[in-house]
Amino acid sequence: MTTQTTTGPPPRGLRDFYENPAVPVASGTPRSLRQARMLARALNGPASAGPQTILDIGCGDGTAAATAAPLLPGHRVIGVDWSQDALRRARTRIPYAVRGELTGGGLPFASGSADAVLFSEVVEHLVDPDAALDEIRRILRPGGHLMLSTPNLAAWYNRGLLLAGVQPVFSEVSLRGIHGRPGKEVVGHLRLYTARALKEFVAASGFTVERLEGAPFHGVPRPLRPLDRLACARPQLASILLLHARRT
């Protein structure tokens, strides 16, 4: 198994790692589109009326928010990230991008001020996901929508890799290089979820889970992509988990 190192000197910690411009901060377009369609359906439901405020927390370079915006006409999408490098890139794609943290003082928004939160491939990077969900619940209005996506530990290929004694895709043992798993990028994942674990975790944080869908992963080798798209029909096997929940 080969080892791929990150560009530049080894990071001194997680903040240095995520401020490194070589670290990927965007997810695949298919996932972003599927998640945006889920949110659009939710916001167009009978319980929603008028323009809504949508926060893309952990917006990265703004690609996901920019992809979702055309499907959410009339609604205000605000990107939020603590990485200054990511925010500089996000402001070239979306009208609003502000600095904020889920911990250490919380987000710069009043309680109950958001109608929906996009939380795309962020939770797997967090040291304290419980505190993050608490903060998201604080800023969401009662009944507000949480659209969370994260890699699936039990993706169809990871099940086979584990049986073969290979480190699962998406998992990380180091911030400096890849060891024992397929892939070319170190992305800093600290936690991974199965579909069951994700639903239980979100429900325990004060949300009602409404729907779980699957999405493909852009890093799957091209010959296997049709199979990866087929796996989306069963979220438990899909590469990416897309969860819609509402604040109770």
Side-chain angles (χ1 to χ4, degrees):
M1 188 67 62
T2 59
T3 297
Q4 173 76 29
T5 57
T6 56
T7 301
R12 294 188 298 272
L14 283 175
R15 286 187 179 271
D16 285 349
F17 178 82
Y18 290 117
E19 289 287 4
N20 181 353
V23 173
V25 292
S27 300
T29 298
R31 190 275 302 153
S32 299
L33 284 172
R34 287 177 185 236
Q35 189 175 45
R37 291 188 187 110
M38 289 175 70
L39 179 55
R41 290 195 299 267
L43 293 181
N44 291 330
S48 300
Q52 309 281 294
T53 298
I54 303 161
L55 305 180
D56 183 2
I57 297 177
C59 66
D61 66 1
T63 298
T67 300
L71 300 178
L72 303 167
H75 302 304
R76 187 185 188 199
V77 181
I78 303 172
V80 185
D81 209 293
W82 62 259
S83 167
Q84 296 289 8
D85 177 73
L87 287 172
R88 280 192 292 270
R89 287 182 273 173
R91 287 172 182 140
T92 67
R93 294 182 171 92
I94 54 178
Y96 308 103
V98 301
R99 191 177 188 280
E101 298 192 42
L102 285 161
T103 57
L107 296 167
F109 301 99
S111 298
S113 60
D115 299 291
V117 164
L118 289 169
F119 202 44
S120 305
E121 271 90 292
V122 177
V123 69
E124 65 270 14
H125 297 272
L126 300 179
V127 174
D128 191 349
D130 302 280
L133 266 287
D134 288 345
E135 180 64 2
I136 289 174
R137 189 174 186 277
R138 179 188 70 80
I139 63 170
L140 275 173
R141 62 168 173 80
H145 304 278
L146 169 63
M147 314 301 294
L148 185 155
S149 65
T150 191
N152 183 9
L153 174 60
W156 60 275
Y157 40 80
N158 278 347
R159 297 178 186 225
L161 290 173
L162 277 171
L163 285 174
V166 177
Q167 187 81 10
V169 175
F170 308 125
S171 64
E172 303 273 77
V173 299
S174 170
L175 293 179
R176 299 181 181 181
I178 292 173
H179 306 287
R181 70 157 173 85
K184 298 180 181 180
E185 296 175 330
V186 179
V187 291
H189 291 173
L190 304 181
R191 302 180 183 276
L192 288 175
Y193 300 79
T194 64
R196 179 176 178 177
L198 183 64
K199 289 191 289 186
E200 290 184 4
F201 166 62
V202 172
S205 300
F207 294 85
T208 299
V209 176
E210 298 282 336
R211 187 175 181 85
L212 183 72
E213 295 186 9
F217 174 48
H218 63 276
V220 169
R222 189 174 297 276
L224 297 177
R225 289 179 186 177
L227 183 57
D228 194 41
R229 289 192 293 269
L230 284 174
C232 295
R234 294 193 63 189
Q236 298 87 346
L237 299 176
S239 287
I240 306 296
L241 300 171
L242 305 178
L243 181 139
H244 171 210
R246 301 192 72 167
R247 181 190 184 274
T248 53

